[in-house]
Amino acid sequence: MNAAARQTVVAYLTLVGVALATACVLAGVGFFPTRRFAGAEGLPAMLGGCTVSWLASCAGAAPLARMFSQAGRTNAAMLVLSSTGIRFLAALALVVPGVFSGWFDRTVFVAWTAISYLAMLAADTLFALWRLEQQKRTAGGTPGRDRVG
């Protein structure tokens, strides 16, 4: 495995880890309110919603990992846009069968999918911005500004 491939794998696993940590925190914070308002049958729906969002985040992490490993050589805006689209389509493809399967309380499932989707999107975005800022610093750029000329 060459250095670029190794960087891509490390970046992907880091993004997956950030999303998993976010899902675990959300499930921990949401356990008691979900049990209180939806009963015991709401807990599997909460976990299902967090899982859908985590899987969508994993799918959307691939273009971002590529962007981190090939800094300066790729069109970052296009990779971020494709990451967002992939994440959305993956979430949609997973949530529709979950809603119609009858395995989960629909309201709780959709609510937790939306909550966890937004939280993971925010966590991934903040991590990506931090990572890009770190790459600028190590490349000699001015933090918070693009180099001109």
Side-chain angles (χ1 to χ4, degrees), residues 3 14-15 23 31 33 52 58 61 63 69 73-74 79-80 91 94 96-97 101 111 134 137 145:
T14 304
L15 285 164
F31 178 82
V52 163
C58 291
S69 68
R73 295 180 303 218
T74 60
L79 289 175
V80 169
L94 293 169
V96 169
S101 70
Q134 295 300 316
R137 286 185 183 157
R145 297 184 188 168

Side-chain angles (χ1 to χ4, degrees), residues 9-125:
V9 170
V10 168
Y12 179 77
L13 292 177
T14 304
L15 285 164
V16 168
V18 167
L20 184 60
T22 305
C24 290
V25 167
L26 286 171
V29 168
F31 178 82
F32 291 111
T34 301
R35 190 173 68 177
R36 169 100 160 84
F37 293 114
E41 53 278 346
L43 296 176
M46 177 191 69
L47 293 176
C50 289
T51 301
V52 163
S53 296
W54 179 69
L55 291 172
S57 182
C58 291
L64 290 178
R66 182 170 176 236
M67 180 178 69
F68 295 144
S69 68
Q70 298 176 356
R73 295 180 303 218
T74 60
N75 185 351
M78 193 58 160
L79 289 175
V80 169
L81 184 61
S82 64
S83 173
T84 304
I86 290 168
R87 174 194 299 261
F88 178 75
L89 291 175
L92 191 62
L94 293 169
V95 86
V96 169
V99 166
F100 292 115
S101 70
W103 293 348
F104 306 115
D105 179 338
R106 289 179 181 171
T107 306
V108 177
F109 178 69
V110 171
W112 274 105
T113 299
I115 291 166
S116 58
Y117 182 92
L118 292 174
M120 287 182 213
L121 181 62
D124 287 350
T125 301

